[in-house]
Amino acid sequence: MVALTSAAGLVGFLSEPDEALQAFALERLNDDIDSVWTEVSGSIGQIEALYEDEGFSHRNLAALVLSKVYYQLQEYNESMVFALGAGDLFDLEKAGEYEETIIAKCIDTYIALCAMHNPPTPASKTRSNTSDFADASAAAVVNPTTPFSQSTLPSKSLLSRDDANPWDSAAPGGGNAGVAGAHPHPLTLSNPVKKNLQGVVKRIFASCYEESEYKQVVGIAIEARNIEVLREAILKASAEEKGKGKKGSSGQTDELLEYVLDICMNVVQERGLRNEILRLILELLNDIPSPDYFAIARCVVYLDQHGAASQMIKQLIQKGDGRSLAIAYQLSFDLYENGTQEFLQKIMEDLPDTEEEKPAEEKLNGNAIAPTGSEPNEDDNAAESSQLLTELNDSAGPPQTTTLVASRTKPKPETEEEQTAFTSVREILRGTKSIELNLEFLFRSSRTDKAILNKVRDSLEARNSIFHTSVTFANAFMHAGTTIDSFFRDNLEWLGKAVNWSKFSATAALGVIHRGNLGQGQKLLDPYLPKPQTNASAGSTYSQGGSLYALGLIYANHGTNVLDYLRKQFKNTQEEVVQHGGALGLGVAGMATGSDEIYEELKAVLYTDSAINGEAVGLAMGLVMLGTGNVKALDDMIQYAHETQHEKIVRGLAMGMALIMYNRQEAADELINGLLDDADSALRYGGIMTLALAYCGTGSNKAVRKLLHVAVSDVSDDVRRAAVMSLGFVLFRKPGSVPRMVELLSESYSPHVRYGATMALGIACAGTGLDEALDLLEPMMKDSVDFVRQGAYIAVAMILVQTNEVQNPKVTEIRKTLQKMVGDRHEDAMAKFGCALALGIIDAGGRNCTIGLQTQTGNLNMAAIVGMAVFTQYWYWFPLTHFLALSFTPTAIIGVDQDLEIPSFKFHSNTKPSMFDYPPEQVVKVEEAPEKVKTAVLSTTAHALRRKQAKDRQHRRESMDIDQTPTTPKPEVDGEAGDKMDEDTTIDTAKLAEEKDGEKDASASPAAKERKEKEKIGFELENMSRVLPAQVKWISFPGEGRYQPVKKPTGGVILLHDSQSDSPKSLLELKARKKTTVVAPTPGPAAAAADIDMPDLGFASGGGAAAAAGVLNAVDEDEDGEEAPVPDAFEVDDDEAEQEEQ
């Protein structure tokens, strides 16, 4: 049929009374509407009249023509409405631009319609936690399209506001809802149109099911908050798989569930919806014959369903086969990695009882039990670890009573094998096994470059406290978790220059170095810990406070065995410095325990209104109540923050409130708004940190918008700096988006905003080696402001941690820059401090640790996030720098079998060895004295020397009767060159040096070229080897090997199924257990006074902690509180002054 050139005639037919002519005109117009729509647009009224005429038989055709005309007019909402009225004439299968646009508009409207009928569920209703902030009328959930839009809070309290209506019918959420012109409001659609919309969407879903495109349906269902559609999609995928007859395989269903889980954890921002989806996944996973236990574990941890976790472990153990036992152990490792102390405690309470009742005195001593054996035998080590932490219920408070009561009614394991298995599960859930394995890896694989550390020490004047402290931090970070403290032993003279808070930080550094050394941690710190005040020379209060802080760091997030001891020391001392260290130790060791007893003891000290310990106590209160949303604690802290006059206390309480709201998301919105509206800048700072921790890792758009708004609007530099920095916490799961977001902020006129941009890049891009981030930071390393350079140095080190030159060629130049700046006499002290920290961070944990704010399985790493957040407070208080060690995550694959032993085996890495190799150690250049260049002897000089010698001989003959045999002194030339030299000679030392370097390069280059040529792709790695996160995807296990992993390798501890369990096996020798700790004697008057005699007493041959005890415990000369006498005023005699002037 010939295409129309004009629609005038057909438009005229529309006015005819004959229905056949009208239908003919509509058909022709529909066929050629793309070319004649301009003429048809003037007759839209006539066509609409035909559509509205219920007696007209071709109403659907009229609706389709109207839809296409409105589409050409770019009125997409009206076009969609008329397309829905066209019924079956609207062809979904046709791949045209018009059809695709209308389908997209239908889906957007469907999502808005479903979202209106399924409003957001308050997070408080998704958790049965009586301490939930929202349960006490504290957190109304806001409309996702109008973030933080609640009314102003009453001035009396931030916690006394009624819930607001969370749903605004004028702005439904979901998809493009709330955006002007995005789609017609669902309430304005007529019921027939809504019915047609449902029909179109069902046809779309049916089309997806036919093509097995289940992920598209899942995406629409999640965005529409329609759980029933999501369930239907998953069940249809499972039914299709069963229909194909794939027995023993659930690949497609597992893949779909993994996709849903990934979307749920990384894309869905609303907590209530996420919990609903996780419950659905958990329900469906349990119905699958061979479920993905590790996906279930992720769900139960997030939903806090400890009962489901313990039931799953019991079922696996009761199966009795080796593979099920290995899966149970792997689940336990994953639960420990992702769960809190409180959550793990509840799981163990639900497991069958396998332990005998211990004597009361052993329970209450609060001391770690030092291991007695030193054999490299795994069985002995397991026994030591079991003995070390046999009483998880050692922490004080109601949980202990509950555990004791529950233990009387617990069922007993049916067989001896089950009893052994449950004992091992308890050991894993306590964390003993994971910590022991990581400690062994860090000790045996440490590659710390001591030359760098020594250069930092030599470059910074130790008598300046900021420089001494920076070297302490660099040493702590470089040796974090390795238990290698020899730097203290080798530098006692340097260590002796530490005074006051520098001594506090140096002692606390032992906690970072020995973090996880559960067997000998308290024994190691015994010389430093507070003693009963039986004599006046009990040691420095600064080292005592630092030792309590160190003890908490050693047992960080695992403080069951030391909480009672720390509480006792905290209560029994009146020294503010010791209370400061004790509060920090209690907070770190008791992290997320929710202990009311510890909280009350901390609050009692807080009310003494001491600025020194108040900041630490406020921080510790938040650490103990981490993530609980405890209303009572928040009310107490807010009230006291308004009453006290000490800014340090207000800042500590503000940070504590932020920690209490960790990962609370919408439940923290009211507190955030209240704090941000406060007149006190310290509390507004706390509001920003609350926002950062409540939405950490969510990528929440509303949180990002709020932070960006505050970053450019607040009047306080501190608040603006924190707002920019907090972008890193919210977006660390999307590191690629952060450089673009802070690019303009990094060029701000305000140095505080620029500093915040550096830290945001460091936090979000840590361990990624991201080039975009480095491109922004490199010019900031030359900023005119010292603290901006400091932040840039630290951020660069965070990004390049564990990065070698092959991965990023910039790393070598940046390392040289850091080492140059730390020794530059013209560099400012603050920038040098940042350099020293950066050199420690970039080589963290003996070059075997990265900074990981999420676990290997993708969950939030609570301890790491908290450690990073508190570390950023070093801006105000240097000792908090040690918290960064909580973010250090060992990067290794550690394979253990179902006996929890470490077999010796190899796995394959399909990369070049140099790709993920350690960075080369720095070549130490021996500083030789300048060589004396041989003097050039001129010919005239030689002649003059001969004449002088001849005259001397003649003179001796005349003056003496007997001439002695003359001895002619030879000039300083080789051989007889003095007699033969007839011309001037010179030695060009620069040319000689160039020639030597050239010879070295010539000799080295062939070997280097040969090595590069020989390097092949793929190499074998031993068990317990360093494997970087980026390397994990290249790791594979031999298909026919004896040991096979029970899950896809993700790094960390991996359970191996031994296919030849009856055959003898070769085990790795444990080296860390061979290392013995030397305990220094309790410092007395002699030990405290005679620092220089330490090597003579034999301590130098032991550990660094023992050798340093006498130095750090020495009482500073001015520590008794007496100030040096003020010198007399300088007086000048007037008469003498006049005489001098004359």
Side-chain angles (χ1 to χ4, degrees), residues 439-570:
L439 194 72
E440 171 67 25
F441 162 70
L442 291 174
F443 176 74
R444 70 191 296 146
S445 303
S446 177
R447 295 288 188 89
T448 303
D449 193 345
K450 291 187 178 179
I452 298 175
L453 189 56
N454 290 333
K455 182 173 182 179
V456 175
R457 178 205 61 202
D458 296 338
S459 301
L460 302 177
E461 173 54 49
R463 292 199 177 276
N464 190 330
S465 64
I466 186 175
F467 290 155
H468 194 287
T469 305
S470 64
V471 178
T472 298
F473 292 143
N475 172 46
F477 292 159
M478 284 187 183
H479 294 98
T482 64
T483 72
I484 300 173
D485 53 17
S486 57
F487 181 78
F488 284 157
R489 182 187 65 221
D490 299 336
N491 296 277
L492 292 177
E493 182 181 354
W494 167 84
L495 193 62
K497 297 178 183 178
V499 294
N500 299 337
W501 290 104
S502 296
K503 187 173 290 187
F504 179 93
S505 297
T507 310
L510 293 171
V512 175
I513 295 171
H514 290 272
R515 184 188 171 205
N517 191 1
L518 305 181
Q520 299 177 342
Q522 192 165 354
K523 176 183 175 184
L524 179 101
L525 292 173
D526 186 69
Y528 306 90
L529 293 169
K531 302 294 187 299
Q533 300 293 331
T534 55
N535 53 60
S537 58
S540 168
T541 55
Y542 291 96
S543 65
Q544 291 176 8
S547 66
L548 293 176
Y549 184 16
L551 191 63
L553 288 169
I554 290 176
Y555 291 86
N557 198 26
H558 194 274
T560 304
N561 290 270
V562 293
L563 282 177
D564 285 342
Y565 176 81
L566 287 169
R567 288 174 60 191
K568 179 181 176 183
Q569 295 294 341
F570 181 71

Side-chain angles (χ1 to χ4, degrees), residues 834-898:
C835 270
L837 257 62
L839 288 169
I841 293 169
I842 202 169
D843 289 337
R847 297 182 170 178
N848 291 303
C849 287
T850 189
I851 296 177
L853 300 187
Q854 56 183 336
T855 63
Q856 299 278 5
T857 54
N859 286 20
L860 296 180
N861 188 341
M862 180 189 71
I865 293 171
V866 170
M868 180 66 75
V870 180
F871 161 73
T872 60
Q873 306 309 301
Y874 83 88
W875 178 277
Y876 304 103
W877 191 233
F878 281 162
L880 298 180
T881 307
H882 285 308
F883 269 82
L884 183 62
L886 300 182
S887 299
F888 294 161
T889 305
T891 52
I893 284 184
I894 305 174
V896 296
D897 60 14
Q898 53 260 45

